[in-house]
Amino acid sequence: MLVSLFICPLCQSPLQPAADTWRCDGSLNPKQTTHPFDVARQGYVNLLPVQQKKSKAPGDSQQSIEARKRFLAAGHYEPLQTVICQQMEQLLAQNEVISEPITASITSSANAQDKNPVNWLDIGCGEGYYTQAMVQMGSDSITTLIAADISKPALVELAKVSKAASQLWYQQHKDEAEKTTVIYPLVTSAAHLPLRAHSVTGISSIFSPILPEAFAKVLADKGFLIIAKPDVGHLATMRDALFDSVREHDSDKFLQELAPYFTLIETHRVSTEMTLSASDLADLLTMTPYAYRARSEKRQALLAAVEQQAFSTEAKFVVYVLQKSSDK
């Protein structure tokens, strides 16, 4: 049997996926007992123990997720989605530089004949707007796509879409394994990833927490990290309308924290002009921290003004491409 890609969040023993219940082998548990994790009917697996939760319902709310689904479906952030996928394709075309073999029990052994399987982690995946684009990018690039988020409502949405498209790991037939990317939707903490050390080829973190040590631990030698963040001037006109004083995004502040583990390869800046209706703007407000940081009267005044005239603003992003240092 090939080594499992996953580990138990409770005892760190190898964790074996199955269609109905994932179960660890208990080998690292002092009591030698196993831990079961049921697969939800939608297709996700909850690997977030109660002791790792900081609130009863961590992560994005259902309201925020629904707003983001509508806003992103309208194509407003499509330029960013395109750049992220382009960078992933370019990196994975260089996959021969990954020196450590990466194997997993949950992928067919047939796909290892010509090259190592590619396991990619999309951390903070949300409802899956970028995750689904990664799948559509082509199965020649990614074998296994682990979609992870701390928000259970977000994973419900992602799993339902993936299941309807027959993309979940237990929906694949052996003869399809070589040509199909499989998705594993996981509710989990980014700080306590249930993944074997050095088991993933790349990580994408799109508007999500940056945890250098945790990322370096699960990445293979010379593995890749793609980070997308708001850039200076992101949604400037909207923020000017909502706040009396605006603190600018400091997009580069975490690069110093990454430096001991990662080398910055490239930086890409993406900008797109948006003309938003009142409903678009309401969704954008709901899916961002501005929904609760701005005063209610400021939000209502802005939305009332947009009922009369469409609102223009510019989305500005920065995408960092990094590679894990070989000695980490």
Side-chain angles (χ1 to χ4, degrees):
M1 179 183 293
L2 296 175
V3 180
S4 176
L5 173 61
F6 303 101
I7 61 173
C8 177
L10 295 171
C11 69
Q12 286 70 60
S13 300
L15 179 63
Q16 298 295 341
D20 52 359
T21 301
W22 293 24
R23 191 179 300 274
C24 75
D25 64 12
S27 58
L28 298 180
N29 187 345
K31 297 181 179 179
Q32 298 293 300
T33 55
T34 64
H35 296 110
F37 302 89
D38 291 339
V39 178
R41 59 181 175 80
Q42 296 91 344
Y44 70 91
V45 183
N46 193 334
L47 298 180
L48 182 66
V50 173
Q51 54 267 42
Q52 292 180 12
K53 290 185 178 182
K54 294 182 179 180
S55 64
K56 186 176 180 180
D60 293 335
S61 66
Q62 187 68 47
Q63 183 183 19
S64 175
I65 291 159
E66 292 295 338
R68 192 163 61 223
K69 281 175 58 182
R70 291 189 296 266
F71 185 85
L72 295 176
H76 296 300
Y77 282 7
E78 189 174 334
L80 174 63
Q81 184 192 66
T82 299
V83 168
I84 289 169
C85 288
Q86 287 174 343
Q87 292 307 305
M88 287 179 63
E89 281 190 297
Q90 291 176 20
L91 292 175
L92 294 176
Q94 310 166 24
N95 192 38
E96 64 271 13
V97 305
I98 302 297
S99 58
E100 181 173 342
I102 302 172
T103 55
S105 63
I106 38 70
T107 54
S108 169
S109 59
N111 59 25
Q113 290 179 1
D114 299 321
K115 60 181 180 179
N116 290 330
V118 173
N119 303 317
W120 191 279
L121 169 64
D122 187 24
I123 192 72
C125 62
E127 78 301 327
Y129 175 71
Y130 301 97
T131 313
Q132 284 296 323
M134 294 171 191
V135 175
Q136 300 306 320
M137 186 176 69
S139 56
D140 287 343
S141 301
I142 300 174
T143 312
T144 301
L145 185 52
I146 304 132
D149 201 290
I150 203 168
S151 167
K152 179 179 173 181
L155 263 296
V156 169
E157 295 296 328
L158 184 149
K160 286 194 296 187
V161 171
S162 302
K163 186 176 181 180
S166 297
Q167 296 167 336
L168 296 179
W169 80 95
Y170 62 79
Q171 295 177 302
Q172 303 305 309
H173 301 293
K174 287 186 177 181
D175 58 348
E176 295 177 338
E178 282 191 80
K179 58 186 178 182
T180 306
T181 301
V182 295
I183 300 178
Y184 291 79
L186 304 180
V187 179
T188 185
S189 163
H192 304 281
L193 292 167
L195 297 170
R196 179 169 52 83
H198 315 304
S199 63
V200 299
T201 310
I203 297 174
S204 48
S205 177
I206 305 167
F207 313 128
S208 296
I210 307 301
L211 301 168
E213 190 172 354
F215 291 174
K217 181 179 179 181
V218 299
L219 269 174
D221 186 38
K222 295 185 180 180
F224 301 112
L225 173 61
I226 295 179
I227 294 172
K229 288 285 186 183
D231 201 2
V232 174
H234 178 60
L235 305 178
T237 55
M238 187 177 85
R239 289 184 291 129
D240 285 341
L242 291 172
F243 302 101
D244 296 328
S245 61
V246 176
R247 185 172 63 182
E248 215 28 280
H249 292 285
D250 184 6
S251 303
D252 296 341
K253 64 181 180 181
F254 58 86
L255 290 178
Q256 188 174 353
E257 299 173 15
L258 287 164
Y261 304 92
F262 295 92
T263 301
L264 181 64
I265 302 174
E266 296 178 17
T267 302
H268 300 270
R269 286 186 153 78
V270 184
S271 62
T272 178
E273 297 281 352
M274 302 186 298
T275 301
L276 305 177
S277 66
S279 59
D280 285 337
L281 184 59
D283 284 338
L284 181 56
L285 283 170
T286 302
M287 65 185 252
T288 65
Y290 310 140
Y292 56 86
R293 288 179 184 169
R295 296 202 308 271
S296 176
E297 59 268 27
K298 287 269 192 178
R299 293 199 308 270
Q300 296 307 317
L302 176 58
L303 290 171
V306 180
E307 291 285 358
Q308 308 302 318
Q309 183 177 357
F311 185 78
S312 295
T313 193
E314 185 177 13
K316 302 181 76 172
F317 312 103
V318 57
V319 178
Y320 301 100
V321 181
L322 304 100
Q323 189 168 28
K324 182 183 170 182
S325 303
S326 58
D327 59 345
K328 295 297 180 183

